Amino acid sequence: MNFFFINRNFFSMWLSQLSSILSGRLRELVIPLLVLGMTHSPLTAGLVALSQQIGVILFAIPVGTWMEQKNKRIVMVITKFLSTICMFILAFLVFQNYINSLLIAFLLFFMGILGLFSSTAFNVMIPAVAGRKNLINAHTSLEGADAVSTLVGPILAGFLFAKMGASFTLLICSILSVISLIFIYIVRYEEQVNTVSDKSLSIKEKMIDFSKRSSEGFKYLFANFSQIISTISICVLGFTTVFIPLTVVIHANNTLNLSPELTGLLLSFAGVGNIIGVVILKWFKNPNWIPFLSILLLVSATGIFLVMITSELWLSCLGMFLFDGALSMAFVIQAAVHQGVTPDEALSRIRSATYVLGGLIAMFASFLSGAIAQYASTTIALGLGIIVLIISAIYIIRYRNHSVKIDKLEPIYLEKKELAN
């Protein structure tokens, strides 16, 4: 279990992330059920869910470039504080019954922007706090936080929603946000701030320089083979992570007719798979990353297939176990490769570029999930998720001869002429 505790400051980051993800897992179940209860429309539930991605798409690039010259920890403390306030406001409005789907979407939009600042800063801090030699352990331990949250969150959310109501459940989300804020506040590390701007430059010259550095993030995403495959993986994993859980919530509510408690139980088996996946990943200390990633995508598709073909709760639970267990391992591999081949000074810019891609994919996934569920069926939606994973796995494995073991990855720098193109 030492990989969870690389050092004291990383452990504080891990606890902050655990609290933050747990709050998000509660919200992921409560808000769709709340919107479905108010509107009886899967499409509306999907549109509300995608609202938190709009701000990410609009602001990810400037935020990532701006972040290079700021203290990441301070940015996280401020944005987490504001996000916590938003959660308390949402809980209060639901309690007072002064709420509708449009207002929920607006609050999620604003919280999405705040989350963009927090998550960008958090990811840039990982190599600095944990050390580049510990990237696999760092991302495995963070995936462990996700696993615990995915296990506990849906069960807790389903129980609280059924017994105490939506407002009380959202209040618990707010308290967890406070805990996350406290743990990130106590993190201490040597901050490397990239002061690239020249004060002698005019405003126009600064804007040109800012735009140039921002565009470099996208160029890095397709700069070499490892970055290209990593970018494809980001898109596939981002789509599946949003599309499948939302579809499963609608599937459980509309097709399987499960109660909120049983819906939470079903989603929690994803957390069980997540935990087992993190443990199993320790056996593969240094895998050859492309073949391993392809296999994980196929196993994840198998899990969705089980959910799609059955009306039995236990078999659906097994499907969610396989789906998220394999997907959690894929996230660790992708994240380690992505950061392993990215130079420190470009981490923030490249991360912001991936947020734009991820935001677009997540919006599309949310809309598609609700639209297919409303106008066709959740079975067809789940089938689409299977097809996406299988095609991606086949495409990636074609390039297995270019793969290397994780410990052979090194930062790849772009030449000046490449950046100029």
Side-chain angles (χ1 to χ4, degrees):
M1 297 295 289
N2 290 335
F3 63 97
F4 281 90
F5 314 107
I6 294 172
N7 57 55
R8 185 176 64 183
N9 286 311
F10 183 79
F11 183 46
S12 296
M13 286 181 65
W14 186 85
L15 291 172
S16 175
Q17 188 75 342
L18 174 67
S19 304
S20 179
I21 297 175
L22 183 57
S23 176
R25 290 293 179 266
L26 267 66
R27 200 167 62 242
E28 285 172 5
L29 180 63
V30 171
I31 289 181
L33 290 178
L34 180 62
V35 175
L36 282 171
M38 291 189 300
T39 66
H40 305 288
S41 170
L43 180 58
T44 302
L47 291 174
V48 169
L50 70 80
S51 63
Q52 59 191 326
Q53 300 298 331
I54 297 175
V56 174
I57 295 169
L58 294 176
F59 301 108
I61 295 300
V63 165
T65 306
W66 174 84
M67 191 80 71
E68 292 179 345
Q69 302 178 54
K70 304 300 177 182
N71 186 298
K72 287 35 170 212
R73 173 184 159 274
I74 292 177
V75 170
M76 284 198 71
V77 169
I78 294 173
T79 54
K80 280 186 173 292
F81 173 77
L82 294 175
S83 184
T84 300
I85 297 299
C86 289
M87 280 304 309
F88 276 113
I89 292 173
L90 180 59
F92 176 76
L93 292 175
V94 173
F95 177 74
Q96 293 291 331
N97 202 27
Y98 295 145
I99 199 71
N100 55 53
S101 57
L102 183 61
L103 185 54
I104 295 174
F106 174 78
L107 286 171
L108 289 180
F109 166 77
F110 187 62
M111 290 172 63
I113 297 174
L114 295 173
L116 168 65
F117 280 90
S118 296
S119 56
T120 301
F122 185 89
N123 279 280
V124 175
M125 286 169 61
I126 293 172
V129 176
R132 280 191 168 272
K133 294 183 179 179
N134 295 314
L135 283 178
I136 279 285
N137 283 347
H139 286 287
T140 302
S141 64
L142 291 171
E143 193 63 31
D146 186 276
V148 172
S149 302
T150 306
L151 171 62
V152 176
I155 292 179
L156 182 61
F159 174 81
L160 292 174
F161 185 88
K163 304 299 182 183
M164 307 297 294
S167 60
F168 184 83
T169 310
L170 292 172
L171 177 62
I172 299 300
C173 293
S174 307
I175 294 172
L176 288 168
S177 296
V178 172
I179 296 173
S180 177
L181 169 62
I182 292 171
F183 279 117
I184 207 64
Y185 179 78
I186 65 177
V187 172
R188 295 292 183 273
Y189 75 105
E190 185 177 348
E191 176 72 45
Q192 298 292 331
V193 178
N194 183 18
T195 54
V196 296
S197 62
D198 188 344
K199 294 183 178 180
S200 64
L201 296 177
S202 66
I203 295 178
K204 181 179 179 180
E205 289 171 328
K206 288 181 179 179
M207 291 297 295
I208 293 174
D209 177 68
F210 186 90
S211 299
K212 180 182 177 182
R213 289 186 290 114
S214 297
S215 66
E216 288 176 5
F218 277 104
K219 291 179 180 179
Y220 261 107
L221 288 182
F222 304 98
N224 54 71
F225 174 79
S226 296
Q227 290 282 13
I228 291 172
I229 297 299
S230 180
T231 300
I232 293 172
S233 301
I234 288 171
C235 294
V236 173
L237 295 175
F239 175 85
T240 310
T241 301
V242 174
F243 183 78
I244 296 300
L246 180 57
T247 301
V248 168
V249 170
I250 299 172
H251 185 70
N253 185 76
N254 292 0
T255 303
L256 302 181
N257 296 315
L258 297 181
S259 65
E261 296 99 322
L262 291 179
T263 301
L265 176 65
L266 175 59
L267 293 180
S268 289
F269 267 84
V272 176
N274 207 329
I275 291 174
I276 299 300
V278 169
V279 174
I280 292 175
L281 192 57
K282 290 301 293 179
W283 300 345
F284 302 92
K285 294 184 178 180
N286 191 30
N288 203 307
W289 70 279
I290 288 181
F292 192 53
L293 182 60
S294 298
I295 292 171
L296 292 173
L297 294 179
L298 292 174
V299 174
S300 187
T302 302
I304 302 173
F305 178 74
L306 290 178
V307 177
M308 182 184 71
I309 64 172
T310 186
S311 59
E312 296 290 336
L313 178 61
W314 70 271
L315 196 56
S316 295
C317 290
L318 176 61
M320 292 301 293
F321 171 86
L322 291 175
F323 158 70
D324 211 49
L327 208 67
S328 67
M329 298 168 71
F331 265 110
V332 172
I333 298 301
Q334 183 279 321
V337 171
H338 184 63
Q339 289 194 329
V341 300
T342 301
D344 283 338
E345 60 268 26
L347 279 172
S348 180
R349 276 172 284 167
I350 293 181
R351 190 65 186 179
S352 65
T354 63
Y355 281 144
V356 173
L357 286 177
L360 288 169
I361 293 294
M363 284 185 63
F364 179 66
S366 298
F367 170 78
L368 204 60
S369 175
I372 295 176
Q374 180 156 327
Y375 297 110
S377 71
T378 51
T379 301
I380 293 177
L382 293 171
L384 177 61
I386 295 171
I387 292 172
V388 169
L389 287 172
I390 291 177
I391 291 177
S392 302
I394 293 173
Y395 179 81
I396 290 173
I397 198 63
R398 292 172 56 203
Y399 299 96
R400 60 188 178 278
N401 293 334
H402 298 275
S403 183
V404 297
K405 292 184 179 295
I406 294 291
D407 66 353
K408 300 298 182 182
L409 294 170
E410 294 181 351
I412 302 175
Y413 294 84
L414 290 183
E415 300 291 338
K416 289 185 178 180
K417 59 181 181 181
E418 293 178 289
L419 291 175
N421 293 333

